[in-house]
mmCIF file of all heavy atoms in Angstrom:
data_model
loop_
_atom_site.group_PDB
_atom_site.id
_atom_site.type_symbol
_atom_site.label_atom_id
_atom_site.label_comp_id
_atom_site.label_asym_id
_atom_site.label_seq_id
_atom_site.Cartn_x
_atom_site.Cartn_y
_atom_site.Cartn_z
ATOM 1 N N ALA C 147 90.152 108.641 92.931
ATOM 2 C CA ALA C 147 88.715 108.427 93.086
ATOM 3 C C ALA C 147 88.416 106.947 93.301
ATOM 4 O O ALA C 147 87.615 106.563 94.138
ATOM 5 C CB ALA C 147 87.980 108.930 91.830
ATOM 6 N N ARG C 148 89.100 106.093 92.538
ATOM 7 C CA ARG C 148 88.907 104.650 92.673
ATOM 8 C C ARG C 148 89.395 104.163 94.022
ATOM 9 O O ARG C 148 88.732 103.330 94.685
ATOM 10 C CB ARG C 148 89.620 103.967 91.528
ATOM 11 C CG ARG C 148 89.484 102.426 91.498
ATOM 12 C CD ARG C 148 88.020 102.005 91.319
ATOM 13 N NE ARG C 148 87.442 102.409 90.046
ATOM 14 C CZ ARG C 148 87.525 101.685 88.930
ATOM 15 N NH1 ARG C 148 88.110 100.543 88.913
ATOM 16 N NH2 ARG C 148 86.934 102.113 87.811
ATOM 17 N N MET C 149 90.529 104.669 94.480
ATOM 18 C CA MET C 149 91.032 104.242 95.795
ATOM 19 C C MET C 149 90.104 104.605 96.925
ATOM 20 O O MET C 149 89.801 103.837 97.838
ATOM 21 C CB MET C 149 92.422 104.851 96.053
ATOM 22 C CG MET C 149 93.015 104.437 97.397
ATOM 23 S SD MET C 149 94.477 105.373 97.865
ATOM 24 C CE MET C 149 93.746 106.834 98.572
ATOM 25 N N ILE C 150 89.569 105.863 96.857
ATOM 26 C CA ILE C 150 88.622 106.344 97.880
ATOM 27 C C ILE C 150 87.391 105.441 97.933
ATOM 28 O O ILE C 150 86.967 105.024 99.010
ATOM 29 C CB ILE C 150 88.235 107.799 97.613
ATOM 30 C CG1 ILE C 150 89.404 108.744 97.923
ATOM 31 C CG2 ILE C 150 86.971 108.179 98.399
ATOM 32 C CD1 ILE C 150 89.159 110.202 97.566
ATOM 33 N N ARG C 151 86.892 105.110 96.740
ATOM 34 C CA ARG C 151 85.717 104.240 96.668
ATOM 35 C C ARG C 151 86.050 102.822 97.183
ATOM 36 O O ARG C 151 85.368 102.291 98.050
ATOM 37 C CB ARG C 151 85.184 104.157 95.250
ATOM 38 C CG ARG C 151 83.861 103.472 95.117
ATOM 39 C CD ARG C 151 83.573 102.958 93.727
ATOM 40 N NE ARG C 151 84.430 101.816 93.400
ATOM 41 C CZ ARG C 151 84.389 101.190 92.217
ATOM 42 N NH1 ARG C 151 83.572 101.644 91.261
ATOM 43 N NH2 ARG C 151 85.182 100.138 91.982
ATOM 44 N N ASP C 152 87.116 102.257 96.653
ATOM 45 C CA ASP C 152 87.407 100.836 96.937
ATOM 46 C C ASP C 152 87.806 100.626 98.408
ATOM 47 O O ASP C 152 87.535 99.577 98.967
ATOM 48 C CB ASP C 152 88.525 100.305 96.022
ATOM 49 C CG ASP C 152 88.038 100.104 94.601
ATOM 50 O OD1 ASP C 152 86.795 100.218 94.342
ATOM 51 O OD2 ASP C 152 88.862 99.832 93.707
ATOM 52 N N LEU C 153 88.479 101.585 99.007
ATOM 53 C CA LEU C 153 88.925 101.426 100.410
ATOM 54 C C LEU C 153 88.027 102.155 101.403
ATOM 55 O O LEU C 153 88.334 102.231 102.583
ATOM 56 C CB LEU C 153 90.378 101.899 100.553
ATOM 57 C CG LEU C 153 91.408 101.114 99.724
ATOM 58 C CD1 LEU C 153 92.822 101.576 100.048
ATOM 59 C CD2 LEU C 153 91.304 99.610 99.956
ATOM 60 N N HIS C 154 86.899 102.670 100.931
ATOM 61 C CA HIS C 154 85.903 103.291 101.824
ATOM 62 C C HIS C 154 86.494 104.431 102.628
ATOM 63 O O HIS C 154 86.118 104.624 103.796
ATOM 64 C CB HIS C 154 85.266 102.234 102.759
ATOM 65 C CG HIS C 154 84.770 101.034 102.015
ATOM 66 N ND1 HIS C 154 83.549 100.948 101.394
ATOM 67 C CD2 HIS C 154 85.403 99.847 101.760
ATOM 68 C CE1 HIS C 154 83.421 99.787 100.809
ATOM 69 N NE2 HIS C 154 84.545 99.108 100.976
ATOM 70 N N PHE C 155 87.357 105.207 102.063
ATOM 71 C CA PHE C 155 87.851 106.393 102.781
ATOM 72 C C PHE C 155 86.682 107.386 102.880
ATOM 73 O O PHE C 155 86.014 107.676 101.881
ATOM 74 C CB PHE C 155 88.991 107.081 102.033
ATOM 75 C CG PHE C 155 90.353 106.460 102.264
ATOM 76 C CD1 PHE C 155 90.953 105.680 101.308
ATOM 77 C CD2 PHE C 155 90.989 106.667 103.485
ATOM 78 C CE1 PHE C 155 92.196 105.110 101.535
ATOM 79 C CE2 PHE C 155 92.244 106.110 103.709
ATOM 80 C CZ PHE C 155 92.855 105.357 102.733
ATOM 81 N N PRO C 156 86.381 107.876 104.095
ATOM 82 C CA PRO C 156 85.265 108.832 104.216
ATOM 83 C C PRO C 156 85.683 110.250 103.807
ATOM 84 O O PRO C 156 85.633 111.198 104.586
ATOM 85 C CB PRO C 156 84.916 108.758 105.717
ATOM 86 C CG PRO C 156 86.214 108.407 106.367
ATOM 87 C CD PRO C 156 87.045 107.598 105.376
ATOM 88 N N VAL C 157 86.078 110.368 102.547
ATOM 89 C CA VAL C 157 86.642 111.605 102.008
ATOM 90 C C VAL C 157 85.904 111.958 100.738
ATOM 91 O O VAL C 157 85.746 111.105 99.863
ATOM 92 C CB VAL C 157 88.150 111.442 101.701
ATOM 93 C CG1 VAL C 157 88.728 112.706 101.110
ATOM 94 C CG2 VAL C 157 88.940 111.034 102.944
ATOM 95 N N ARG C 158 85.482 113.229 100.625
ATOM 96 C CA ARG C 158 84.869 113.679 99.376
ATOM 97 C C ARG C 158 85.981 114.276 98.466
ATOM 98 O O ARG C 158 86.761 115.097 98.930
ATOM 99 C CB ARG C 158 83.821 114.763 99.637
ATOM 100 C CG ARG C 158 83.158 115.269 98.369
ATOM 101 C CD ARG C 158 81.859 116.037 98.667
ATOM 102 N NE ARG C 158 82.127 117.339 99.294
ATOM 103 C CZ ARG C 158 82.198 118.476 98.620
ATOM 104 N NH1 ARG C 158 82.030 118.495 97.284
ATOM 105 N NH2 ARG C 158 82.421 119.636 99.227
#
Side-chain angles (χ1 to χ4, degrees):
R148 182 61 64 88
M149 180 191 83
I150 288 174
R151 189 200 71 181
D152 287 352
L153 298 185
H154 310 276
F155 278 106
V157 177
R158 180 164 72 95

